[in-house]
Amino acid sequence: MNKYETLKTYFGYDDFREGQADIIDNILSGRDTLGVMPTGAGKSLCYQIPALMMDGVTIVVSPLISLMQDQVTSLVGLGIKAAYINSSLTQDQYYTVLRRASEGWYKLIYVAPERLDSDVFVKTACEMDISMITTDEAHCISQWGQDFRPSYLKIPQFTERLPRRPIVTAFTATATERVRSDIKHQLHMKDPYETVTGFDRKNLYFEVRHPSDKIHDLLSLVRKYDSEGRSGIVYCSTRKDVENVCDRLREEGFSASRYHAGLTESERRHSQEDFLFDRVRIMCATNAFGMGIDKSNVSFVIHYGLPKDVESYYQEAGRAGRDGSPSDCILLYTARDRFVAEFLINKSFEESSLDTQEAERIRSRDMAKLRDMVRYANQDGCLRTYILNYFGESGSHSCGNCSYCCSDTVLTDITTDAQKIMSCVYRSGQKYGISTVANILMGDGSEALTSRGLDSISTYGIMADSSRRYIRDICSRLEELDYITVSDDDYRIARLTSKALPVLRGELRINARVREDKAHTAANYDKELFLILQELRSTVAKVNGVPPYSIFTDLTLSEMASKCPTDARSFARLSGVTKIKTERFADRFIDAISEYKAGKSRDKALRQGSDLSPLLKIKDSIELSDSPLTVTTFCERAIEKSGSPVKVKSLRDAITGWFVSKELLTNSHDSEGRSCKAVTDRSAEAGIVAEHRVGSKGREYDRILYTYEAQKYIIDHLDEIVRFGKEVKNG
Ligand code: ADP
Ligand code: ZN
């Protein structure tokens, strides 16, 4: 298997994200590698894929027990042989893992750094075929990192005790030069390949609000997210705020939990698990919460207080949208928050044991960092650009996905309209300006178009319902996102880039913020079905004892709700779906989708009056007539009596069709060639008779009448007739 096949087979993804493929290639070529990627960018795959492709086992050093358990649980769920070794194992479990490890059973073993100088472990490790040793959260090895852990210094000693030097790799989200060189040095990396992936997370939407009533804004945000089935974190500055906000959310009926250092360990674990397992939707927390939380479906992070610096903000906000789906990062800021933040900084120095000069130096550094954070909160410009500049990257000045750049826009799946526009650009020969393209799409019948034959291309008029402003708006987004280029001169000629092709082929969807088009309804996934699938996911997760997001991410569910796969093959094509997941879960999800769809078409049939089933409930109250009736009269009486929304025509067609299927009637034509029914020699069995008539113009015909007996026959077989009507309708 090559790396793409491994990616799809084990993880269900079609493409690598920025930086991943390069890192993987370098590792596979045997080179030490240091990967710096922002939180949520996908560091784990960078070592997991080589681990799967190389012979032997990869040792992953990881700082947190919960993180290891999470990773191993999801790997095992993906059919990968993985285990962890940390203090949570019993003696028996520990020896079982070691035994299997020496038998070469695992592809990945996660270990806590403290284990690395245990003689038992080192002895087993020397018997294993170790292809790679990877250090996760590698900044922990640096004194300059935020979370220095002395036990990380055991890693190089361990590596040196092995009979054969494995490839040494390390990953972190901390980019400063100092930390990076420290990592390379401390881990004794040899000529490492080093890559720093851009810090931009395009799927995150940034917003700053200056509310006059914070809790009011918070509640209205949460209400909206909740109705969409989204899960998220509300970060507060103090424990007291966490308590208050959490209480308030609960009072309002939201499913919320809390997390801060003032709770007991077991309370914290409980509430963290409730959140991970989707038992609660909202986590109110101080910054103590989050390190090592790989919950991929956190789809919003609201800051109710001001973080102490931009690093912390970006790290906390970055916990949203790890699965790549559009997510919101919202800072609620009031001037008072600044004083709280300053107070907290000052307080931390009062309690510290640093000498005054040193303390003063650090304090003023922290205050400067806070000022940068406040500048973000008061930023009058693109928020993303501000953040990227802060980390030493340049932004585009207009990201199109922050509250500054899109003050009156909504995040929308614009794929369908993008396809229309790009296909129009293509079909008109990539030689017209944006305004002509818009004219073609809107189908304006102007001379300028008709004289050039542009009214005969297939995209002519396909966006007749959209406004010009909307089409231009989408074009700008497509240009910003690099799907089309627009010439710099007055002609503004549009051309497609290579990125356009996968969109046109339907392989890639585009989400972007656009101004709402009044004449436009967004092609989007079915929210109701999405909520049903979420529910099902929770049930399946509970049965399997794993967190729901490890079954499918929200992004996969929304794609499922929009594509509605009906068989395993189309199911397997959804992003994030692997072969194993298809085998294990496809049936249940497909069933739920088709059940939902059937319900919808039943509703629709009911609305249109073509569903006859309401009649079944009242069939005993339908009065029969002693004198023979035409089928139409019979139907009218039955329906009127029941007050049901069934249409006469639907019922009549079902009845006569069913009689034909039983050969109690037959299809025929009248003297003018119109189709009609006629009696057969068996009609009398069911009480159906034909009355010979002569019409006003001397035209002779048979009128088919239903005697009391025939009416009774219908009622007795109503179940069958209703079923027949439904089958005919469904083809
Ligand atoms: P990090 O460790 O960098 O914070 P993770 O490795 O936990 O990030 O990855 C974050 C999320 O992104 C995970 O849910 C992971 O499955 C997903 N992911 C990683 N790589 C890809 C990819 N190539 N395509 C789609 N999703 C990916
Ligand atoms: Zn912006």
Side-chain angles (χ1 to χ4, degrees):
M1 263 200 271
N2 65 27
K3 63 176 185 287
Y4 286 98
E5 288 159 353
T6 312
L7 179 70
K8 182 64 192 170
T9 310
Y10 286 102
F11 301 95
Y13 301 128
D14 295 315
D15 254 315
F16 287 106
R17 292 197 184 148
E18 191 188 343
Q20 290 178 328
D22 277 346
I23 292 180
I24 292 169
D25 288 341
N26 274 284
I27 296 178
L28 290 174
S29 78
R31 190 161 171 198
D32 286 358
T33 297
L34 170 60
V36 181
M37 296 168 109
T39 306
K43 287 185 280 292
S44 323
L45 281 189
C46 294
Y47 61 82
Q48 287 164 350
I49 289 196
L52 290 167
M53 293 174 67
M54 295 189 290
D55 288 338
V57 59
T58 290
I59 304 285
V60 185
V61 182
S62 175
L64 285 178
I65 292 185
S66 65
L67 188 67
M68 284 186 226
Q69 287 171 339
D70 253 28
Q71 294 258 6
V72 170
T73 309
S74 63
L75 288 174
V76 170
L78 296 167
I80 296 168
K81 298 202 173 73
Y84 56 79
I85 295 179
N86 59 37
S87 58
S88 77
L89 295 186
T90 62
Q91 193 78 355
D92 275 359
Q93 290 170 325
Y94 179 45
Y95 282 104
T96 308
V97 173
L98 285 185
R99 197 193 65 240
R100 288 184 158 181
S102 61
E103 289 164 2
W105 173 264
Y106 301 113
K107 291 311 292 178
L108 290 122
I109 301 178
Y110 287 72
V111 292
E114 290 76 17
R115 282 290 149 164
L116 294 176
D117 59 355
S118 125
D119 287 335
V120 188
F121 181 71
V122 174
K123 186 166 165 291
T124 314
C126 288
E127 290 162 11
M128 300 189 305
D129 174 17
I130 299 177
S131 55
M132 169 162 72
I133 175 154
T134 284
T135 305
D136 201 5
E137 312 283 358
H139 56 273
C140 294
I141 203 171
S142 167
Q143 315 245 18
W144 307 105
Q146 303 122 291
D147 324 279
F148 174 59
R149 307 242 315 208
S151 57
Y152 261 58
L153 297 171
K154 295 176 179 168
I155 301 171
Q157 295 162 17
F158 167 77
T159 313
E160 254 118 62
R161 290 170 73 180
L162 297 172
R164 178 170 74 98
R165 182 182 186 276
I167 304 169
V168 177
T169 58
F171 294 90
T172 175
T174 304
T176 64
E177 178 55 43
R178 192 170 218 175
V179 173
R180 274 187 284 154
S181 66
D182 216 18
I183 293 172
K184 287 180 286 185
H185 175 72
Q186 298 284 10
L187 287 175
H188 302 182
M189 291 180 132
K190 283 189 191 149
D191 174 34
Y193 169 70
E194 186 178 345
T195 174
V196 182
T197 307
F199 262 58
D200 193 8
R201 300 263 315 277
K202 294 197 170 56
N203 62 317
L204 299 185
Y205 164 74
F206 290 96
E207 176 170 344
V208 177
R209 292 192 183 191
H210 300 259
S212 52
D213 180 356
K214 248 196 207 180
I215 194 80
H216 174 269
D217 269 50
L218 177 71
L219 289 173
S220 81
L221 282 167
V222 166
R223 205 165 288 127
K224 174 174 148 286
Y225 295 134
D226 192 66
S227 73
E228 295 166 348
R230 295 165 68 173
S231 181
I233 307 174
V234 179
Y235 276 112
C236 303
S237 300
T238 62
R239 297 174 192 182
K240 195 160 140 269
D241 276 354
V242 170
E243 293 289 339
N244 291 341
V245 166
C246 183
D247 285 348
R248 187 62 198 274
L249 289 175
R250 285 177 178 167
E251 273 165 31
E252 298 286 330
F254 296 114
S255 135
S257 191
R258 67 212 157 101
Y259 190 104
H260 57 69
L263 302 173
T264 65
E265 163 133 23
S266 102
E267 281 173 316
R268 277 189 311 226
R269 200 181 50 238
H270 240 86
S271 99
Q272 173 166 330
E273 276 176 9
D274 281 347
F275 185 61
L276 288 180
F277 284 77
D278 282 358
R279 291 190 286 261
V280 302
R281 280 247 172 88
I282 305 163
M283 176 61 96
C284 306
T286 59
N287 59 7
F289 178 73
M291 161 102 151
I293 301 296
D294 174 26
K295 182 176 157 79
S296 66
N297 64 337
V298 173
S299 90
F300 63 89
V301 171
I302 300 175
H303 276 79
Y304 194 77
L306 188 70
K308 67 182 194 327
D309 50 37
V310 181
E311 283 92 341
S312 312
Y313 181 65
Y314 201 54
Q315 186 167 44
E316 286 157 19
R319 296 197 172 112
R322 291 169 84 104
D323 61 3
S325 60
S327 303
D328 294 351
C329 307
I330 297 180
L331 172 65
L332 301 177
Y333 177 71
T334 61
R336 194 184 148 266
D337 296 338
R338 179 188 188 145
F339 300 118
V340 175
E342 283 174 352
F343 170 81
L344 290 174
I345 290 179
N346 286 328
K347 186 159 152 257
S348 72
F349 286 98
E350 279 161 23
E351 288 162 4
S352 87
S353 55
L354 294 172
D355 71 64
T356 43
Q357 210 181 352
E358 178 70 356
E360 187 45 38
R361 198 181 60 77
I362 300 177
R363 200 186 69 87
S364 65
R365 185 198 66 188
D366 287 358
M367 286 296 181
K369 288 188 155 202
L370 177 63
R371 272 199 296 282
D372 285 335
M373 189 61 220
V374 172
R375 277 178 50 207
Y376 173 82
N378 289 320
Q379 181 61 9
D380 188 26
C382 173
L383 297 174
R384 172 175 271 99
T385 304
Y386 181 85
I387 293 175
L388 293 179
N389 289 343
Y390 182 89
F391 289 113
E393 279 181 39
S394 56
S396 66
H397 298 290
S398 169
C399 71
N401 197 15
C402 77
S403 53
Y404 177 82
C405 293
C406 37
S407 14
D408 56 346
T409 60
V410 283
L411 184 62
T412 315
D413 181 338
I414 60 164
T415 312
T416 310
D417 290 328
Q419 286 168 333
K420 291 178 182 169
I421 292 172
M422 296 192 300
S423 125
C424 183
V425 168
Y426 182 73
R427 285 177 198 282
S428 57
Q430 312 204 53
K431 56 184 180 194
Y432 294 105
I434 291 288
S435 68
T436 307
V437 170
N439 287 342
I440 301 174
L441 288 162
M442 293 174 72
D444 95 357
S446 71
E447 168 71 19
L449 295 190
T450 49
S451 64
R452 286 182 273 187
L454 292 173
D455 56 341
S456 62
I457 65 175
S458 62
T459 46
Y460 181 80
I462 54 170
M463 290 184 79
D465 293 338
S466 299
S467 66
R468 181 177 306 276
R469 195 185 81 163
Y470 174 77
I471 296 179
R472 283 176 167 271
D473 208 18
I474 303 248
C475 288
S476 315
R477 291 293 92 72
L478 293 177
E479 188 189 355
E480 281 161 17
L481 296 171
D482 206 22
Y483 293 100
I484 61 174
T485 59
V486 177
S487 68
D488 236 355
D489 49 26
D490 289 347
Y491 301 108
R492 311 220 0 98
I493 292 169
R495 293 192 185 86
L496 304 185
T497 70
S498 60
K499 276 179 78 180
L501 202 58
V503 181
L504 285 168
R505 284 208 207 107
E507 295 161 358
L508 190 72
R509 304 196 71 78
I510 309 179
N511 285 302
R513 295 216 156 237
V514 287
R515 285 193 190 82
E516 237 169 327
D517 187 6
K518 288 285 178 283
H520 177 85
T521 42
N524 233 330
Y525 63 89
D526 184 329
K527 299 271 173 6
E528 193 183 337
L529 176 56
F530 176 74
L531 292 176
I532 292 172
L533 295 175
Q534 264 196 339
E535 192 104 330
L536 173 60
R537 177 180 65 180
S538 292
T539 317
V540 172
K542 201 176 283 169
V543 173
N544 288 281
V546 295
Y549 63 81
S550 73
I551 307 263
F552 292 123
T553 63
D554 279 1
L555 193 64
T556 302
L557 290 191
S558 61
E559 199 182 326
M560 212 180 281
S562 95
K563 297 203 172 134
C564 297
T566 50
D567 54 37
R569 277 185 57 185
S570 46
F571 193 86
R573 276 200 293 271
L574 300 174
S575 166
V577 174
T578 58
K579 191 156 154 273
I580 295 178
K581 287 195 178 177
T582 306
E583 279 162 12
R584 294 185 58 192
F585 307 124
D587 285 351
R588 302 198 53 182
F589 282 84
I590 290 172
D591 283 354
I593 292 169
S594 47
E595 194 178 305
Y596 172 79
K597 287 270 162 200
K600 279 278 159 203
S601 64
R602 225 162 25 238
D603 290 351
K604 190 163 163 228
L606 263 179
R607 274 200 307 280
Q608 294 175 342
S610 57
D611 182 357
L612 307 177
S613 50
L615 287 173
L616 293 176
K617 290 199 207 88
I618 49 92
K619 72 173 178 186
D620 294 330
S621 63
I622 295 175
E623 268 174 46
L624 307 183
S625 157
D626 287 331
S627 45
L629 303 175
T630 64
V631 69
T632 307
T633 312
F634 171 79
C635 292
E636 281 167 358
R637 286 172 51 128
I639 287 168
E640 188 181 336
K641 182 83 206 163
S642 71
S644 79
V646 173
K647 275 212 185 106
V648 172
K649 180 175 179 309
S650 308
L651 179 57
R652 189 189 62 204
D653 291 350
I655 293 175
T656 55
W658 181 76
F659 275 123
V660 169
S661 77
K662 298 280 166 209
E663 292 176 12
L664 293 163
L665 284 176
T666 181
N667 287 317
S668 177
H669 296 281
D670 66 13
S671 57
E672 282 161 10
R674 283 182 302 225
S675 59
C676 66
K677 307 289 181 227
V679 290
T680 67
D681 46 10
R682 288 185 47 208
S683 295
E685 290 172 25
I688 302 176
V689 297
E691 188 187 61
H692 197 69
R693 286 212 162 188
V694 180
S696 53
K697 289 176 188 151
R699 188 170 62 87
E700 292 182 38
Y701 65 98
D702 277 342
R703 192 157 103 131
I704 298 175
L705 291 173
Y706 293 67
T707 62
Y708 179 89
E709 208 188 338
Q711 297 167 37
K712 177 108 180 24
Y713 199 89
I714 293 174
I715 300 298
D716 289 345
H717 295 85
L718 199 57
D719 284 20
E720 272 183 59
I721 293 172
V722 167
R723 216 175 311 132
F724 177 85
K726 190 166 151 196
E727 277 159 20
V728 169
K729 216 190 107 268
N730 296 338

